[in-house]
Amino acid sequence: MDHFPGTWGRPRNDVYGAYDPSYLQSTGPKTHTTSPAVTGTSVVGVKFNGGVALATDNLASYGSLARFTDTKRLRVFGDQAVVGFGGDVSDMQYLDRLLESIDIRENYSSHGNMLNAKNLHTYLAKVFYKRRSEFNPLWNHVLVAGFDGEGKPFLSSADLLGTTFSAPHLATGFGAHLAVPILRRLFPEEKPIEEISREEAVDALKQCLKVLFYRDARSLDKYSIAVITKEGIDLKEDEQLEGQSWAFAERIKGYGAQTV
Amino acid sequence: MTSIGTGYDLSNSVFSPDGRNFQVEYAVKAVENGGTAIGIRCKDGVVLAVEKIISSKLLKPGANKRIATVDRHVGIVSAGLVPDGRHFVSRARDEASSWRATYKGPIPTSALANRLGGYVQAYTLYSSVRPFGVTSIVGGWDSEAELAVDGQVGSGPKSGAGGKVDGAKAGGPGLYMIEPSGLYWGYYGAATGKGRQAAKAELEKLDLSSGKLSLLEGVKEAARIIYVAHEDSKDKEFELEMSWISSLDGPTKGRHEEVPKDILEEAEKAARRALDEDEEEEDKGAGEQMEE
């Protein structure tokens, strides 16, 4: 008879080796919040004369598996703001519901939702900062697009640490490396946003998404694009990247079964 | 009220020997003094209207709303003690948001009415509280389209097992009235407050159960009925407040909103005209009788 209840029901030490009691520890840091699970990749945004354009692809990856291919990562808030989400998809869903509850509360008053994109960005950044300070971060990097209090186009980012950053064009994730240089070439700093047309902005986003699809292994050629102007939000969620050319791929060396 | 002075009305939750709760009945009296409130359930939406007696010239016209929005698709109007009505609305909003937290979708109007009925009824059970001094009309539109779950990001595979019934009819207008006892019924047309008798008589003439009345006609009728119900307290000035909830393809897209100013003014003009015509006919009738 084994008189030590702590060892009952456990694999026998003489067969399986001594049990590692560290697995039973209930103290120590919580670690399950320290990595995302199902993720979306880049978000790209550009300000233009009279508005902002924002785009993401429609993929949610589970690690390297392309798990969901019809994911809507651009979320509309009120009638003048859009949030583009990169990072963990379930955290995005949580934030989407949070924003929905705020929109419902805003509409209790008869003037309707008065929060603009700038207010929304400030709020989201504070939510991110609070959660990272609790060591329980929301694993996202978002772009908020719309208008500020003076009615000027607004585009700004907030990340899982609560860091905020603003620029006439922005990209998160892989896009920060691959799309921003393209956007800087197309829209140099000297060029005021008043000289950028809606068509130019949309074309630039498509070009960025195409390059991202070529080079980012967690991306997709199906995408969503939102154009926010004073007239409202034009959101398309089932777009296909046109005019792909994979000719460059032949020249890529150093991967797979190549011997040279 | 022969039972006054017998002592059975001094505490809430106490029955009298003939099975009445006097505190609840007194609460109903408080409601009967409030401005008339009505609701009409139309085929493509719901209208709510209330007569706001102007108690002071210093009150800003158009401010001090009496119809409140709950979630996006429900409106509540109350007759009786205004602060009680506000607390009731606040509870309704909490219920709607807790429903969303659990089920990730909007609360059906019927479920909201049920929860509010339960809440009001609880205030008839304890001696430490008094019943609500309001009768509230809850109007809502339950989406007829299949709604995405809150936060849903995709629609899943287009083929495979579904389990959905094709062509099943869902959603539509809902109208409920909750009384101080916690009693609530669903209605085609509901009226409460001072002018409820006149308003009910007018509502009955509309043949609402046939489901033919359109929302726009409903708005006109609601305005007219509030004007008719006001006839008995003509010496007091009042302001008409109206809100509506249409179907998804209607003017409010399933949301509860104030009736736009131009439509409201037009409905008020039509209401005044209808009243004048009625008076003229009465005068004429009286004149003819005199001649005989």
Side-chain angles (χ1 to χ4, degrees), chain A residues 169 184 187-192:
Chain A
H169 40 254
R184 285 194 182 150
F187 310 121
E189 227 170 312
E190 318 72 84
K191 190 171 178 176

Side-chain angles (χ1 to χ4, degrees), chain A residues 70 72 75 97 100 103 110, chain B residues 72 150 152-153 155 258:
Chain A
D70 66 343
K72 275 97 187 169
R75 316 301 285 192
R97 288 177 192 134
E100 182 145 326
D103 182 55
S110 51
Chain B
R72 287 185 175 125
D150 285 356
Q152 183 175 314
V153 292
S155 37
E258 281 174 31

Side-chain angles (χ1 to χ4, degrees), chain B:
Chain B
M1 290 244 164
T2 50
S3 321
I4 292 175
T6 53
Y8 292 106
D9 63 347
L10 296 179
S11 176
N12 190 22
S13 93
V14 172
F15 275 123
S16 80
D18 43 353
R20 295 158 64 184
N21 182 339
F22 285 108
Q23 283 299 317
V24 168
E25 291 183 21
Y26 297 160
V28 171
K29 293 278 172 215
V31 171
E32 287 171 3
N33 288 323
T36 315
I38 64 165
I40 303 179
R41 182 184 179 277
C42 308
K43 72 171 173 203
D44 53 349
V46 180
V47 195
L48 299 176
V50 63
E51 165 210 34
K52 284 193 292 189
I53 300 289
I54 299 168
S55 56
S56 162
K57 286 218 162 91
L58 296 174
L59 290 171
K60 187 179 170 215
N64 304 310
K65 296 289 178 211
R66 286 276 303 279
I67 308 180
T69 307
V70 173
D71 205 289
R72 287 185 175 125
H73 61 299
V74 176
I76 295 186
V77 62
S78 311
L81 306 179
V82 176
D84 283 29
R86 294 217 182 98
H87 174 76
F88 182 79
V89 164
S90 151
R91 177 67 188 199
R93 287 172 175 168
D94 289 351
E95 289 289 357
S97 87
S98 94
W99 180 281
R100 257 191 205 272
T102 310
Y103 301 110
K104 312 291 179 235
I107 188 168
T109 315
S110 57
L112 182 66
N114 178 274
R115 288 182 170 207
L116 290 173
Y119 185 64
V120 171
Q121 190 270 341
Y123 279 73
T124 68
L125 294 173
Y126 303 96
S127 56
S128 53
V129 293
R130 63 169 174 78
F132 275 80
V134 287
T135 289
S136 298
I137 299 173
V138 178
W141 181 272
D142 298 337
S143 173
E144 68 273 40
E146 192 179 316
L147 286 182
V149 173
D150 285 356
Q152 183 175 314
V153 292
S155 37
K158 288 183 178 71
S159 59
K164 300 238 171 71
V165 181
D166 269 334
K169 214 174 121 46
L175 182 68
Y176 296 83
M177 184 160 77
I178 302 157
E179 294 171 27
S181 60
L183 174 87
Y184 75 93
W185 297 116
Y187 290 88
Y188 289 119
T192 180
K194 202 165 216 162
R196 69 196 172 285
Q197 296 297 1
K200 272 190 222 168
E202 292 297 321
L203 283 168
E204 280 168 18
K205 287 182 204 160
L206 293 179
D207 185 30
L208 293 167
S209 57
S210 67
K212 281 183 196 140
L213 191 76
S214 74
L215 185 61
L216 276 168
E217 288 167 332
V219 167
K220 289 230 163 101
E221 292 297 344
R224 191 181 61 77
I225 291 172
I226 290 293
Y227 270 83
V228 169
H230 183 71
E231 284 293 278
D232 291 334
S233 39
K234 242 182 171 173
D235 48 320
K236 291 183 190 129
E237 275 190 61
F238 80 105
E239 199 179 279
L240 173 66
E241 185 181 330
M242 280 211 284
S243 72
W244 60 356
I245 313 122
S246 81
S247 58
L248 292 184
D249 50 5
T252 79
K253 300 181 176 63
R255 285 163 169 264
H256 174 254
E257 287 172 5
E258 281 174 31
V259 172
K261 220 175 163 202
D262 50 332
I263 299 178
L264 179 76
E265 278 168 8
E266 200 185 315
E268 286 200 79
K269 223 182 274 173
R272 277 190 223 109
R273 216 180 307 129
L275 270 191
D276 289 345
E277 277 166 22
D278 275 359
E279 263 172 41
E280 266 172 43
E281 262 171 50
E282 269 170 40
D283 290 346
K284 227 190 272 170
E288 277 163 19
Q289 272 177 354
M290 292 273 271
E291 273 165 40
E292 275 178 36

Side-chain angles (χ1 to χ4, degrees), chain A residues 4 7 25 36 45 55 66 74 95 101-102 118 157 177 179 181 187 205 212 216 219-220 229 234 245 251:
Chain A
F4 297 98
T7 62
Q25 256 172 12
L74 296 179
L95 284 169
S101 75
I102 290 167
K118 197 177 179 195
S157 78
H177 303 95
F187 310 121
L205 288 186
L212 283 166
D216 176 0
S219 69
L220 196 67
T229 58
D234 178 21
S245 164
R251 282 175 278 120

